[in-house]
């Protein structure tokens, strides 16, 4: 077998560097999304560019980038002034880059310019659309409106079992400075990659099946690049969290990360350790309130009882004088009542005499009215008797009846009608012709 000369790794990397310089000597405008933006103490800004599959949320390209301090100090304020938004992860940018390859650090893109007119990144736009949809459906703030239990000790934890963040969370709870006891229970889930959404939703469903056993749900994950948190920016996961019947606490990234479920959860903290500190502090505040009530019971209540006992003693010493005073008041009241009674009795005799006078006058008035009415009735009787039908018949008048009714109009009769005629001493029938 023919022996060929071997290259060292650095020699190969130098060859790659020369080849890239020869093939890509110019600068190029590239559109990509920023998934990580970090500025260090020297003023340089280190970036991570990503491109996602348009049919899903998976990454199809990733590259490291850098903006040197002299360029970054000019580009950042220019971009933020023109766009009105911060130069942070989650925005889509159009940048002019030079392609570099370093023997030690590998492939990277050096940013030399940026176009501020380019649209906001797909990741940030998707978050806004999801939040707008949740708000339109009326579920955006449902979980925030839940009341966090005073004794939030039974904790359902959604995390990767092997994640360092989960270990930090449990250690922080177990070794808290106040000796509080917590009961965390892990519901394992995938916390990065394409399975994040489905995995966390399944964990929430398992917790929901025994929701009475828990006080709060904690979703934790260690920090990382923003692109690794894309699984937390989906509508289905956000809707499940927003409508979950237990308060949800999230600690799924560092301070710079801000996912959709952070915005719909009851409480959002920076890291898993911060989530544990939040629960410990919440229980500490509850304990402080309980201690305050205990102090009230042991200190304020005895003092209140002492004051009330002294007040009772004072009343006991006042009772004899109060009773004597009350007896005098009642005697005086009785005397006044007797005087009023005597006055009323004298007034009653006057009223009785007046009543008798009125009675005599009333009787006289009644007799006069009865005589007048009797005379009026006699006159009416005479008038009635004079208008009696029998008296009129005796004078020669007659009454013609048809169907039992008196005939007063000749046009009411038709040929062939049978009528009855009444005279003074009887009746007879006739037929109209």
């Amino acid at each position: 077998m023919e022996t060929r000369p071997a290259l060292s790794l650095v020699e190969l990397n130098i060859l790659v560097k020369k080849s890239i310089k020869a093939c890509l000597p110019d600068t190029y405008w590239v559109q990509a999304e920023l998934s990580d933006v970090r500025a260090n103490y020297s003023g340089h800004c280190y970036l991570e560019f990503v491109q996602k599959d348009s049919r899903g949320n998976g990454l199809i390209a990733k590259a490291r980038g850098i903006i040197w301090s002299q360029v970054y100090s000019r580009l950042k304020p220019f971009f933020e002034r023109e766009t009105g938004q911060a130069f942070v992860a989650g925005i889509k940018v159009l940048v002019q880059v030079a392609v570099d390859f370093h023997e030690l650090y590998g492939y990277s893109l050096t940013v030399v310019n940026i176009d501020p007119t380019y649209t906001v990144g797909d990741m940030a736009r998707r978050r806004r659309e999801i939040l707008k949809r949740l708000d339109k459906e009326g579920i955006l703030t449902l979980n925030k409106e839940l009341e966090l239990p005073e004794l939030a000790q039974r904790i359902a934890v959604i995390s990767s079992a092997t994640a360092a963040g989960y270990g930090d969370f449990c250690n922080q709870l177990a070794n808290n400075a106040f000796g509080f006891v917590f009961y965390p229970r892990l519901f394992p889930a995938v916390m990065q990659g394409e399975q994040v959404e489905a995995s966390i939703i399944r964990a929430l469903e398992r917790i929901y099946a025994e929701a009475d056993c828990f006080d709060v749900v904690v979703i934790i994950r260690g920090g990382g690049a923003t692109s690794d948190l894309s699984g937390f920016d989906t509508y289905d996961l956000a809707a499940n969290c927003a409508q979950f019947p237990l308060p949800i606490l999230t600690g799924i990234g560092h301070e710079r990360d801000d996912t959709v479920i952070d915005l719909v959860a009851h409480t959002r903290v920076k890291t898993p350790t911060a989530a544990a500190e939040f629960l410990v502090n919440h229980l500490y505040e509850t304990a402080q309130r309980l201690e305050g009530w205990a102090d009230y019971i042991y200190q304020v209540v005895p003092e209140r009882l002492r004051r009330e006992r002294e007040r009772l003693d004072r009343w006991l010493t006042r009772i004899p004088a109060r009773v004597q005073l009350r007896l005098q008041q009642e005697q005086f009241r009785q005397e006044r009542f007797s005087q009023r009674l005597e006055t009323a009795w004298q007034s009653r005799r006057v009223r009785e005499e007046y009543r008798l006078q009125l009675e005599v006058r009333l009787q006289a008035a009644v007799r006069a009215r009865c005589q007048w009415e009797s005379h009026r009735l006699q006159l009416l009787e005479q008038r009635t008797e004079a208008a009696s039908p029998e008296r009129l018949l005796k004078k020669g008048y007659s009454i013609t009846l048809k169907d039992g009714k008196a005939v007063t109009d000749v046009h009411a009769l038709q040929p062939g009608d049978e009528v009855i005629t009444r005279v003074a001493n009887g009746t007879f029938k006739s037929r109209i012709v």
Side-chain angles (χ1 to χ4, degrees):
M1 184 175 179
E2 182 180 357
T3 303
R4 297 181 180 179
L7 295 175
S8 67
L9 179 59
V10 68
E11 290 173 337
L12 178 61
N13 283 353
I14 292 174
L15 181 61
V16 171
K17 179 178 181 179
K18 292 179 179 179
S19 299
I20 290 177
K21 280 293 183 182
C23 294
L24 303 171
D26 299 325
T27 58
Y28 304 90
W29 285 98
V30 178
Q31 61 180 24
E33 184 177 306
L34 298 178
S35 67
D36 198 11
V37 179
R38 302 180 186 180
N40 66 6
Y41 66 93
S42 62
H44 304 314
C45 180
Y46 296 92
L47 312 170
E48 183 178 72
F49 296 107
V50 296
Q51 182 177 344
K52 297 176 181 178
D53 187 348
S54 59
R55 295 170 297 179
N57 207 31
L59 297 181
I60 59 175
K62 181 188 293 188
R64 292 187 301 106
I66 186 172
I67 308 177
W68 300 115
S69 59
Q70 294 179 348
V71 179
Y72 184 62
S73 63
R74 175 177 54 85
L75 290 187
K76 182 177 183 295
F78 169 66
F79 177 83
E80 293 180 347
R81 182 177 64 255
E82 294 296 322
T83 62
Q85 64 180 24
F87 188 75
V88 293
I91 61 174
K92 203 168 186 178
V93 295
L94 180 63
V95 291
Q96 186 178 18
V97 300
V99 182
D100 293 320
F101 188 89
H102 191 274
E103 296 85 345
L104 181 60
Y105 301 111
Y107 166 72
S108 66
L109 303 176
T110 301
V111 178
V112 296
N113 201 356
I114 189 169
D115 183 359
T117 62
Y118 200 65
T119 58
V120 175
D122 182 66
M123 183 181 296
R125 179 181 58 81
R126 186 185 304 116
R127 289 175 182 170
R128 290 198 304 273
E129 291 176 351
I130 291 173
L131 294 173
K132 184 177 179 180
R133 179 179 175 185
L134 294 173
D135 186 41
K136 185 177 180 180
E137 294 172 355
I139 62 176
L140 179 63
T141 61
L142 287 183
N143 198 260
K144 295 181 181 296
E145 294 169 4
L146 296 176
E147 185 175 354
L148 189 65
E150 294 287 347
L151 301 176
Q153 295 173 280
R154 303 174 301 168
I155 307 167
V157 184
I158 299 178
S159 179
S160 171
T162 59
Y166 172 64
D168 295 339
F169 175 80
C170 292
N171 290 334
Q172 188 75 11
L173 289 182
N175 301 315
N176 68 84
F178 310 106
F180 297 142
V181 178
F182 293 89
Y183 305 95
R185 177 179 167 187
L186 177 65
F187 289 82
V190 177
M191 303 306 287
Q192 63 181 9
E194 297 181 358
Q195 299 300 318
V196 169
E197 176 186 18
S199 180
I200 295 180
I201 290 177
R202 286 195 298 270
L204 288 172
E205 291 173 348
R206 294 196 300 272
I207 297 171
Y208 180 78
E210 43 186 323
D212 292 339
C213 299
F214 301 101
D215 303 313
V216 65
V217 177
V218 176
I219 302 176
I220 53 176
R221 172 193 181 276
T226 305
S227 58
D228 292 333
L229 301 176
S230 58
F232 297 92
D233 291 326
T234 66
Y235 169 79
D236 288 339
L237 179 56
N240 273 271
C241 291
Q243 301 176 87
F244 203 73
L246 294 176
I248 293 179
L249 178 65
T250 60
I252 59 176
H254 296 305
E255 183 176 4
R256 66 179 183 277
D257 301 324
D258 191 16
T259 66
V260 173
I261 69 168
D262 284 326
L263 300 175
V264 302
H266 182 279
T267 303
R268 186 256 186 184
V269 295
K270 301 175 185 177
T271 63
T273 301
E277 292 175 350
F278 175 85
L279 292 172
V280 171
N281 291 335
H282 176 73
L283 194 58
Y284 174 74
E285 292 173 358
T286 301
Q288 289 292 97
R289 286 193 293 274
L290 291 176
E291 289 180 0
W293 283 110
D295 291 342
Y296 180 84
I297 293 173
Y298 286 108
Q299 297 178 13
V300 178
V301 171
E303 176 63 20
R304 178 65 179 273
L305 290 174
R306 184 189 63 79
R307 291 199 304 268
E308 292 299 324
R309 188 179 297 109
E310 292 178 352
R311 182 168 172 266
L312 180 60
D313 291 340
R314 288 196 300 269
W315 276 107
L316 289 175
T317 59
R318 295 176 184 176
I319 287 177
R322 291 279 181 173
V323 170
Q324 184 64 30
L325 178 62
R326 186 58 181 269
L327 289 174
Q328 293 175 356
Q329 291 173 346
E330 289 298 321
Q331 183 178 0
F332 177 71
R333 190 175 67 86
Q334 186 66 30
E335 292 175 353
R336 291 184 59 190
F337 178 75
S338 299
Q339 293 175 358
R340 287 198 299 269
L341 187 61
E342 184 177 355
T343 303
W345 173 253
Q346 294 177 355
S347 300
R348 181 178 180 184
R349 287 190 303 174
V350 173
R351 287 196 300 270
E352 183 65 21
E353 293 176 356
Y354 182 69
R355 185 188 66 79
L356 292 174
Q357 293 176 4
L358 289 178
E359 185 176 347
V360 171
R361 293 170 61 185
L362 179 61
Q363 290 175 353
V366 169
R367 285 194 299 269
R369 183 59 181 241
C370 288
Q371 291 176 357
W372 185 84
E373 291 294 334
S374 176
H375 177 68
R376 192 171 67 86
L377 287 175
Q378 290 176 0
L379 293 176
L380 290 174
E381 182 180 1
Q382 293 174 2
R383 292 176 184 176
T384 303
E385 184 177 353
S388 172
E390 285 78 6
R391 176 169 292 188
L392 293 175
L393 291 176
K394 289 178 181 181
K395 291 181 179 182
Y397 294 98
S398 65
I399 301 175
T400 301
L401 303 174
K402 177 186 176 184
D403 299 328
K405 296 182 180 180
V407 178
T408 60
D409 186 0
V410 71
H411 297 94
L413 300 175
Q414 301 293 332
D417 289 347
E418 186 178 85
V419 298
I420 297 174
T421 301
R422 182 179 175 184
V423 295
N425 59 349
T427 62
F428 59 88
K429 295 181 179 179
S430 308
R431 186 175 299 278
I432 305 300
V433 296

